[in-house]
């Protein structure tokens, strides 16, 4: 919006704190090359437009806004004379993209001293060369530092994830190795038993009965019910008594295996009915080998399946085989991140999922959203460890108008009120030295707001902290990586 030009008075602009140390000649040049403009209530410039002017308010009221998602959020409102905005980085020239990084409106008739951006840059370089060099060093040095520490933040997260993944993989891998060694031993004993059978100890009719019982027992193992510890103990006692009553040795050792396989006294009675009394010990021993091998193979299958799921989760988390930008299911992303972080979360923290499964897939950068989830879950876990190590992490998804909500709620110590306005600032951290870079939430904010056109906010009190990420349900213009 263009304003109405009015005469420029060097004495008036010289009274502003920004220009109070300038000489009369310098003030004269400002008035000659700049101008005073009066704006009626309404917009002055819009975020993202080319930054062509530097504005200093002489009188009136200005409001600055930042675009968050699809909304303009008020950043500041002031009537203080001398406040400035606009092309404040013009002195950096073409080394940075010269656009307005906020929007400015006036709420009453307001006068500005307006200086063209190229004039502002020339005057800065001529009048304050040392200050310009210092500002350039500060600007680009801060960018480089932020980039380097951002990489370290990612490496720290990767180290934490790899440690957790190694821990999670170790358990099923070790179980599979143990089960394989035991299975090898059991199969060896079965080969010995087959050698005895081959010597003619059993008639073909008896062998047919044993093989039939073996097949039916294997089928029963696959359908074994899950028993409570009390139910399992009672059934073990019943089976042990049944075996002891028939003079079968080591009934106390065989009974737990049979119970785990879903066998009971009724089943053993069917076996006893099907074979002669003198053959019962051999039949029970043969069944024991069958049950043990079936259970061991089930254990190996469960362990390798668990390993496969972990590898799939790692692929899903890293998105190595996916396009950078795609329509993604946030629940898949959340589940893979929770699984990758399960070792760090630990057993003392309960994870509750409140997913709205009716939500559609959304256009997103999945690998980067996983980084947001990682940062928010990591902070929640740290907050609960600070509150005694126990707690509940609730992950909730829902629809809020035209956006998808992902909320992380923890029962930790909470965020003090004086810190809430700064937690998304670069390098701000409440963690001890060496434990936090202060970039986790800054990176999360930039991924959500800048790349996904969404918003991220926090509500906190002791025992109830909620980070809320709101993402558009429909595709915005795709950002470059």
């Amino acid at each position: 919006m263009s304003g109405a030009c009015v005469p420029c008075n060097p004495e008036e602009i010289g009274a502003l704190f920004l220009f109070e140390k300038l000489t009369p000649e310098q003030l004269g040049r400002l008035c000659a090359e700049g101008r005073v403009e009066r704006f009626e209530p309404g917009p002055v410039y819009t975020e993202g437009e080319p930054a062509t002017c530097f504005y200093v308010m002489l009188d009136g009221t200005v409001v600055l806004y930042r675009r968050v998602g699809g909304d303009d959020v008020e950043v500041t409102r002031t009537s203080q004379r001398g406040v400035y905005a606009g092309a404040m980085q013009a002195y950096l020239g073409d080394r940075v993209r010269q656009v307005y990084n906020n929007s400015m409106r006036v709420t009453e008739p307001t006068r500005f001293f307006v200086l063209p951006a190229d004039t502002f840059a020339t005057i800065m370089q001529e009048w304050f060369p040392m200050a310009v060099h210092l500002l350039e060093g500060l600007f680009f040095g801060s960018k480089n530092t932020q980039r380097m520490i951002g990489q370290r933040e990612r490496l720290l997260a990767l180290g934490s994830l790899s440690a957790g993944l190694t821990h999670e993989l170790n358990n099923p891998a070790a179980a599979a190795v143990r089960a394989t060694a035991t299975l090898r031993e059991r199969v060896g004993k079965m080969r010995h038993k087959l050698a005895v059978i081959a010597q003619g100890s059993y008639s073909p009719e008896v062998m047919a009965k044993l093989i039939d019982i073996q097949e039916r027992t294997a089928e029963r193992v696959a359908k074994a019910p899950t028993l409570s510890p009390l139910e399992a103990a009672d059934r073990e006692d019943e089976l042990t008594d049944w075996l002891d009553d028939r003079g079968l040795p080591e009934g106390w050792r065989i009974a737990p295996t049979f119970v785990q396989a879903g066998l009971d006294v009724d089943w053993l009675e069917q076996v006893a009915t099907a074979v002669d009394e003198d053959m019962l010990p051999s039949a029970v021993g043969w069944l024991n080998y069958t049950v043990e091998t079936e259970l061991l193979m089930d254990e190996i299958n469960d362990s390798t399946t668990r390993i496969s799921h972990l590898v799939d989760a790692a692929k899903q988390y890293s998105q190595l085989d996916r396009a950078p930008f795609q329509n993604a299911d946030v629940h898949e992303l959340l589940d893979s991140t929770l699984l990758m972080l399960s070792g760090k979360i630990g057993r003392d923290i309960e994870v509750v999922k409140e997913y709205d499964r009716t939500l559609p897939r959304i256009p997103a950068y999945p690998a980067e959203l996983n980084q947001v989830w990682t940062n928010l879950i990591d902070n929640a876990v740290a907050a609960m460890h600070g509150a005694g190590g126990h707690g509940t992490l609730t992950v909730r998804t829902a629809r809020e108008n035209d956006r998808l909500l992902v909320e992380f709620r923890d029962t930790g110590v909470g965020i003090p009120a004086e810190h809430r306005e700064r937690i998304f600032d670069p390098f701000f951290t409440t963690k001890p030295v060496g434990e936090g870079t202060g970039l986790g939430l800054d990176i999360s904010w930039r991924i959500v707001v800048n790349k996904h056109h969404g918003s991220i906010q926090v509500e906190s009190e002791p025992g109830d902290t909620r980070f809320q990420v709101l993402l558009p349900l429909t595709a915005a213009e795709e950002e470059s990586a």
Side-chain angles (χ1 to χ4, degrees), residues 157-167 340:
L158 181 61
S160 176
L161 288 171
S162 62
L165 183 60
T166 301
H167 174 77
M340 294 290 287

Side-chain angles (χ1 to χ4, degrees), residues 2 10 51 61 68-69 74 104 108 139 150 154 199 213 245 261 289 320-321 326 356 367 375 389 396 420 430 463:
S2 179
T61 301
V68 179
E74 182 175 324
M104 183 165 71
E108 61 178 312
F139 179 83
R154 292 181 177 90
Q199 294 171 3
I213 291 170
D245 290 345
Y289 287 142
L320 289 177
D321 58 347
Q326 58 178 283
D356 179 356
N375 290 335
R396 181 171 71 93
R420 282 177 215 154
T430 58

Side-chain angles (χ1 to χ4, degrees), residues 5-26:
C5 290
V6 295
C8 174
N9 183 347
E11 292 184 1
E12 182 179 31
I13 65 170
L16 303 175
F17 64 83
L18 195 61
F19 305 131
E20 60 185 358
K21 299 296 183 180
L22 299 183
T23 65
E25 292 77 12
Q26 290 173 323

Side-chain angles (χ1 to χ4, degrees), residues 20 29 74 83 97 112 125 146 148 184 215 240 244 251 254 266 270 287 291 299 305 310 323 337 422 425 430 437 462:
E20 60 185 358
R29 180 177 173 182
E74 182 175 324
V83 294
R97 188 166 171 244
F112 291 97
Q125 291 160 0
Q146 187 166 332
M148 292 174 63
R184 186 186 300 275
E215 291 296 329
T240 302
D244 290 344
I254 298 174
D266 290 341
Q270 293 179 41
L287 287 180
V291 168
E299 185 176 350
T305 301
L310 285 166
T337 305
R422 301 186 58 198
D425 292 351
T430 58
T437 62

Side-chain angles (χ1 to χ4, degrees), residues 339-415:
L339 183 56
M340 294 290 287
L341 290 172
S342 57
K344 188 165 190 176
I345 293 172
R347 297 182 178 179
D348 293 333
I349 294 175
E350 180 186 5
V351 177
V352 176
K353 300 177 184 178
E354 297 179 357
Y355 291 169
D356 179 356
R357 295 287 186 179
T358 66
L359 290 170
R361 300 172 76 89
I362 63 169
Y365 294 87
E368 299 199 25
L369 284 182
N370 280 341
Q371 187 176 358
V372 174
W373 313 150
T374 300
N375 290 335
L376 297 181
I377 293 170
D378 185 64
N379 285 346
V381 171
M384 286 185 280
H385 284 165
H390 299 268
T392 301
L393 171 65
T394 304
V395 183
R396 181 171 71 93
T397 62
R399 180 192 291 264
E400 286 204 359
N401 300 320
D402 60 344
R403 295 196 288 179
L404 184 150
L405 167 70
V406 182
E407 180 183 79
F408 298 87
R409 178 184 179 187
D410 69 72
T411 56
V413 294
I415 303 171

